[in-house]
Structures are given as C-alpha cells and as structure tokens.
Amino acid sequence: MSKDVHEELQKRMQQAWQSYEPDAEDINVPAPDLAFLQDGSSKVIDPQEMNLDFLSGEKKHKRHISKVAKVAAILLAILVTSSGMAVFMNSDASYGVKGVFQNIKHYISPQEEPSMNEQGSLSLEVTDWEKLDEGKNVVPTLYIPQYIPKDYTFSKCTFFKSEGIASNFYEFTKGEETLLVTVDTYNGSTDIYLSGEEYKSPYSDKEIYVEKTDGEYTATYVDESIYIRVVSTISNEENVKVIEGVEPSK
C-alpha cells in the first residue's frame, strides 16, 4: 500500500475525530499500521495456540462427556449380563422396568391357546417342558411323569379334552427310539379293555398289565377314574417305573 494512501487514511481519521469532538484541542492521530495488508500475505494459525476460553462449557467438555458416556455404556452392559440385573430387578426402582421386560417376554414367547374342533373338543400341543402348566387350560388335572429312563428327552405333550374324558399324551425320544406316556381321566363310568399279563409292581401294590408285541413293551394301569399307559422299546420293568412316577401337578 502506497504512502499517499496511508496519509489519506490518517487525514480522514483526524476529521472524523474532530467532527465527533468539535471542542477538543487538536489531536494528532498516529498513522495506522496497515503492514498486514502488504502483498496479501497471511499467517497460518496453529490451533494449539488459539485461546478457546470463549467456547461454551458444553463444547470444551465434549471429550470428557464422551468418555463418561462410554463408561456408562460399559456399566449398563455389565448390569444386563451379570448378577447385577438380578439385584436391580428386585429393587423398587425396577418397578416400571419389570413391566417392560415382561411385555417383551410375552411378545417373544406368547402363551399358546387351545384349539377347538367341530365336535367341541379342546386340544393343545406343548413342546417346552417349562410351559407344561399351559395344559391346565385344557385338562382339569395335569399329570406329569416324575421318572423317565436315562437319555430320553422331552419332545412334546398333547392335551386333549372332550365330553367325559381328559388326556395327557407325552412323547419322549432317544435318537430314533420313542417313549410314549398316556394319562387319561374319565368323568363317569367307562369300560376299559386291558390286554397282557397281570404284573404286581415291586414298588407298590399296583396291579399292572404288561405285554410285548413286535419289540414294543406296553404297561397299563387302571384305578378308579385314571388310566395310565406306557409304550417303549426298553423293558416293562422301566415302563412300570414310569407309571409309578406319574403324579398330579400341584
């Protein structure tokens, strides 16, 4: 920038001062330093040298808050995946959370509803042992086998109810082998045909009828209004143990 421009700017600044303070004595306004405009040069500012005090607390502590958020997320993960969740779910603060978890659980594993056929008979199939109590929606009394031979696992149970009869059909499997347990209860007098040889249980005074046909063992027990039948490929001794272990659910 030329010297004439400097002088002209100084003059204009002097005039501006005098117009603002007309009664003031003459004041010599120094020439402005406009060296920073020379050659259009500029200086690159190092961000580390900048004074950031003018920034709000939210921006200055952004990194700190981010770290806190990460720690909180980790603690939440520990709470959900450890015994901490059990402690929390038993506290008063968890009242509302319990309802949310229960709704989610109900949505994921909804309760099965019995189906009805044209004759008005109810039936329900349950494939989860933990949900056997749902059978009470069909049969008046739920009977559960307390003894099952080794290595056999629960497959399913079908509950059935029609006029005069309620049934529990259990199926257990071990590979390709199947163990079937049927428990029927009758409302009123019913004639039941029993086949096989009479066998007195060594565990009680029950008289059980046993037979073997084509490699299958069948054991049947009838007493008053209950009928229990076990079919397997193991032995009638094991079938009798199964019969002895059938008990009504409490």
Side-chain angles (χ1 to χ4, degrees):
M1 184 176 290
S2 65
K3 181 178 180 182
D4 293 340
V5 173
H6 278 242
E7 292 176 351
E8 179 65 22
L9 180 59
Q10 182 181 12
K11 181 179 178 181
R12 295 290 179 89
M13 292 176 67
Q14 184 72 38
Q15 292 174 349
W17 174 260
Q18 289 176 348
S19 64
Y20 181 73
E21 292 287 348
D23 298 332
E25 299 180 358
D26 291 343
I27 296 178
N28 184 25
V29 177
D33 183 9
L34 305 178
F36 68 91
L37 296 177
Q38 297 292 340
D39 303 326
S41 61
S42 61
K43 179 182 178 182
V44 178
I45 300 176
D46 186 352
Q48 299 297 328
E49 298 177 0
M50 297 178 65
N51 182 6
L52 302 179
D53 291 339
F54 66 91
L55 293 177
S56 67
E58 179 182 357
K59 292 183 178 179
K60 285 190 290 184
H61 297 290
K62 184 176 182 180
R63 288 188 177 182
H64 174 70
I65 294 174
S66 177
K67 291 180 180 179
V68 172
K70 290 180 181 179
V71 173
I74 294 174
L75 290 176
L76 179 60
I78 295 175
L79 175 65
V80 174
T81 58
S82 69
S83 58
M85 174 58 75
V87 175
F88 174 74
M89 291 302 285
N90 288 325
S91 67
D92 292 338
S94 69
Y95 178 78
V97 179
K98 287 180 181 178
V100 174
F101 275 103
Q102 289 171 355
N103 289 337
I104 293 175
K105 182 179 179 181
H106 177 75
Y107 178 78
I108 296 176
S109 302
Q111 183 174 350
E112 296 292 338
E113 296 294 334
S115 60
M116 181 180 293
N117 61 19
E118 296 178 354
Q119 288 73 37
S121 299
L122 290 175
S123 64
L124 173 67
E125 182 177 288
V126 176
T127 57
D128 186 346
W129 183 265
E130 299 298 327
K131 295 183 178 182
L132 282 180
D133 276 352
E134 294 183 6
K136 294 179 180 179
N137 296 326
V138 178
V139 296
T141 304
L142 178 65
Y143 286 88
I144 301 177
Q146 304 298 318
Y147 171 80
I148 295 298
K150 184 179 179 181
D151 297 329
Y152 278 83
T153 59
F154 175 71
S155 177
K156 64 180 178 179
C157 181
T158 302
F159 300 96
F160 176 82
K161 181 183 179 182
S162 63
E163 185 177 356
I165 183 173
S167 302
N168 307 250
F169 299 104
Y170 288 92
E171 180 178 314
F172 300 87
T173 58
K174 184 181 76 171
E176 296 183 356
E177 297 183 16
T178 302
L179 172 69
L180 302 177
V181 181
T182 302
V183 182
D184 294 337
T185 55
Y186 299 92
N187 183 15
S189 60
T190 303
D191 294 330
I192 300 176
Y193 173 75
L194 298 176
S195 62
E197 298 179 359
E198 187 175 333
Y199 176 82
K200 189 170 184 178
S201 171
Y203 311 103
S204 66
D205 293 333
K206 289 185 175 68
E207 292 183 355
I208 300 173
Y209 288 83
V210 297
E211 64 179 338
K212 179 181 179 181
T213 306
D214 298 330
E216 270 191 352
Y217 296 89
T218 303
T220 308
Y221 170 73
V222 177
D223 182 17
E224 297 180 355
S225 61
I226 188 171
Y227 167 90
I228 305 175
R229 185 170 184 260
V230 179
V231 180
S232 75
T233 56
I234 311 173
S235 67
N236 275 319
E237 287 75 13
E238 286 294 292
N239 288 354
V240 170
K241 290 180 182 179
V242 175
I243 290 176
E244 290 285 2
V246 174
E247 295 181 0
S249 175
K250 298 179 180 180

